[in-house]
Amino acid sequence: MPASNTLTLGTDRALYVGEIPATGWHCHASPVLLMGLSGRFTVHWGAGRVETCHSALVDAGVEHLFDPCGETVALVYLEPDSREARRLRGLFQQEGGVVLDVAVSVGARSAMEGYLNHFDLPALLRCPLDNEVAPLDPRVARSLHVLRHPQAGRVARGDLASGVQLSASRFNHLFRAEMGVSLRSYRVWSQVRLAMAGLAVSPRLTDAALHGEFSDSAHFSRMFRQTFGMTPSSVLKPLKTVTLLA
């Protein structure tokens, strides 16, 4: 598969394909499927665990380090409220948050590109997924819409809670129970996603930071590094295309 770096952002999923540097330790509010498209990579997590593999599923909130070992990789991020992410929860609970060599072999380039571009998780994974998932609490769904489509700057936690007739503490508890991650962690993730979506309009990282409602580019850089273990310039500047899906 080609090594040109591309980013595709959908409503509840994202795909990065290309070559990236080794990351530092990081965790994010989204489960991710890591795939080596041209060879094996190394992932570190937990109490000194290190494995070399062709693919790995890493749950949201799991601190890990990812070394592509110079290979072309595909990173498939699923929003924690997506049906696919919710179907993976049972598997993550059984496996302790990381599942190795879980994807099908790369095989034919055209077929793999199709699976990735259509986010066809059942075709990408060799493991069964839970078919039954409970619907997302509508109060959390409402708050997610506000977080993902800010109208006038950063929305306070108290405003999100009062908007669904809950106290701040009760809302925090409900959000974590439904999403599997804290509101604080998800807010950062949502802002970083918004910033990356801004690259479809302007390639300037300063403009991306403003699009993500960050106070300035330095703030964006800190949060991006916390989220992905890399600087935004090392990952986003080499991008050839940024595609936004409806």
Side-chain angles (χ1 to χ4, degrees):
M1 297 184 72
S4 59
N5 293 29
T6 63
L7 174 65
T8 304
L9 292 168
T11 303
D12 59 0
R13 58 207 67 203
L15 168 67
Y16 191 104
V17 176
E19 295 178 350
I20 61 171
T23 75
W25 287 95
H26 66 286
C27 67
H28 35 68
S30 164
V32 60
L33 170 62
L34 309 172
M35 295 184 63
L37 299 181
S38 62
R40 294 159 67 87
F41 59 83
T42 300
V43 61
H44 304 237
W45 80 99
R49 291 203 62 178
V50 182
E51 296 286 349
T52 299
C53 53
H54 287 287
S55 62
L57 273 168
V58 181
D59 198 5
V62 174
E63 190 175 27
H64 61 288
L65 183 153
F66 174 51
D67 183 357
C69 301
E71 304 294 345
T72 301
V73 296
L75 316 177
V76 182
Y77 297 92
L78 302 169
E79 288 291 293
D81 62 306
S82 67
R83 177 175 174 79
E84 291 87 347
R86 292 164 74 80
R87 290 174 67 193
L88 286 170
R89 286 193 181 179
L91 178 64
F92 280 132
Q93 290 172 358
Q94 292 174 13
E95 301 294 334
V98 177
V99 191
L100 301 176
D101 283 322
V102 69
V104 297
S105 59
V106 172
R109 169 180 155 183
S110 59
M112 182 54 66
E113 285 181 337
Y115 297 154
L116 289 169
N117 291 333
H118 289 90
F119 295 92
D120 190 346
L121 214 61
L124 286 170
L125 300 181
R126 294 188 290 108
C127 60
L129 303 178
D130 292 335
N131 290 320
E132 298 299 324
V133 292
L136 188 70
D137 188 291
R139 293 168 293 183
V140 173
R142 244 175 291 159
S143 70
L144 290 175
H145 181 79
V146 173
L147 288 169
R148 291 168 180 168
H149 305 88
Q151 298 299 313
R154 182 182 172 93
V155 183
R157 180 188 66 170
D159 292 337
L160 287 172
S162 62
V164 292
Q165 289 79 53
L166 291 175
S167 67
S169 60
R170 175 60 187 147
F171 177 72
N172 279 350
H173 179 79
L174 175 66
F175 192 93
R176 180 181 281 277
E178 289 289 303
M179 297 285 284
V181 293
S182 69
L183 171 62
R184 181 178 181 180
S185 176
Y186 185 78
R187 185 197 292 278
V188 171
W189 172 255
S190 181
Q191 283 187 263
V192 170
R193 270 185 53 97
L194 280 172
M196 291 192 295
L199 294 171
V201 178
S202 168
R204 286 164 38 93
L205 295 182
T206 301
D207 293 339
L210 294 175
H211 194 268
E213 303 290 344
F214 289 102
S215 55
D216 52 37
S217 56
H219 184 207
F220 170 49
S221 183
R222 287 195 304 274
M223 293 300 98
F224 190 95
R225 191 161 193 161
Q226 175 183 303
T227 301
F228 295 112
M230 299 172 284
T231 63
S233 59
S234 68
V235 182
L236 302 180
K237 281 190 175 180
L239 283 172
K240 302 300 182 185
T241 60
V242 178
T243 303
L244 302 182
L245 302 179

